[in-house]
Amino acid sequence: MNMLWKFLLLAALMISVITVVKFVIRKTLKIPKVKKAFFSYNHINDIHRKIDWAVRITALLINVFLIHHVMFEGFSINLFLILLALLFTSENFVRAFFEWKFSEDPKQSILSLAEGIIFITIVVVIIQFDVLYLVIK
């Protein structure tokens, strides 16, 4: 199987796991579904918007630094994946805080926290079982 298809299958599997777990949490805790546009900026308030953009810009700069070090300095790919997961989920954790403190439905913060924790867990499992080696092989 082509390496691209393996990566796409891995990404689809990750998205599926996150979606199923969020669905189960939503049904178990009776959290209403909130319609959000795909790839939109759903900020709770102005402070959330400013902090979210600061986190995104910081994450972008750190990603450029990390990618440079992985490509040219021999930086560990596993450490890169962990840091990338933490950067990616930092937006979820900021969103969870603002949903908990300032939204009309604070239960939504549980879903944001769950998404971040699940993503970090998936990355740790990928590293622990050396899934990237299997995908590249």
Side-chain angles (χ1 to χ4, degrees), residues 10-70:
L10 183 62
L13 184 63
M14 289 174 64
I15 291 169
S16 299
V17 168
I18 290 171
T19 303
V20 168
V21 171
K22 283 176 65 175
F23 176 79
V24 169
I25 290 172
R26 183 179 292 117
K27 292 299 179 188
T28 305
L29 299 177
K30 296 179 176 88
I31 300 172
K33 187 167 184 164
V34 175
K35 286 282 187 180
K36 295 179 186 175
F38 198 62
F39 286 119
S40 66
Y41 304 116
N42 299 308
H43 297 109
I44 307 300
N45 58 25
D46 194 47
I47 297 170
H48 178 218
R49 182 181 57 79
K50 290 176 183 175
I51 292 175
D52 185 55
W53 276 105
V55 168
R56 288 173 191 232
I57 291 169
T58 304
L60 175 70
L61 294 174
I62 292 173
N63 280 331
V64 169
F65 175 79
L66 289 175
I67 289 170
H68 173 269
H69 275 68
V70 166

Side-chain angles (χ1 to χ4, degrees), residues 60-129:
L60 175 70
L61 294 174
I62 292 173
N63 280 331
V64 169
F65 175 79
L66 289 175
I67 289 170
H68 173 269
H69 275 68
V70 166
M71 293 177 71
F72 300 113
E73 304 292 330
F75 197 70
S76 167
I77 192 71
N78 290 340
L79 187 56
F80 169 73
L81 287 174
I82 290 172
L83 292 174
L84 192 65
L86 291 174
L87 287 171
F88 177 74
T89 56
S90 63
E91 289 180 37
N92 287 57
F93 296 142
V94 168
R95 168 166 289 289
F97 174 77
F98 279 94
E99 286 172 339
W100 172 59
K101 279 294 208 187
F102 301 109
S103 76
E104 295 90 30
D105 190 14
K107 279 187 167 183
Q108 293 294 326
S109 64
I110 297 169
L111 295 174
S112 295
L113 280 174
E115 185 175 351
I117 291 169
I118 294 164
F119 187 77
I120 290 172
T121 303
I122 289 171
V123 169
V124 169
V125 167
I126 286 171
I127 291 169
Q128 182 65 34
F129 293 106

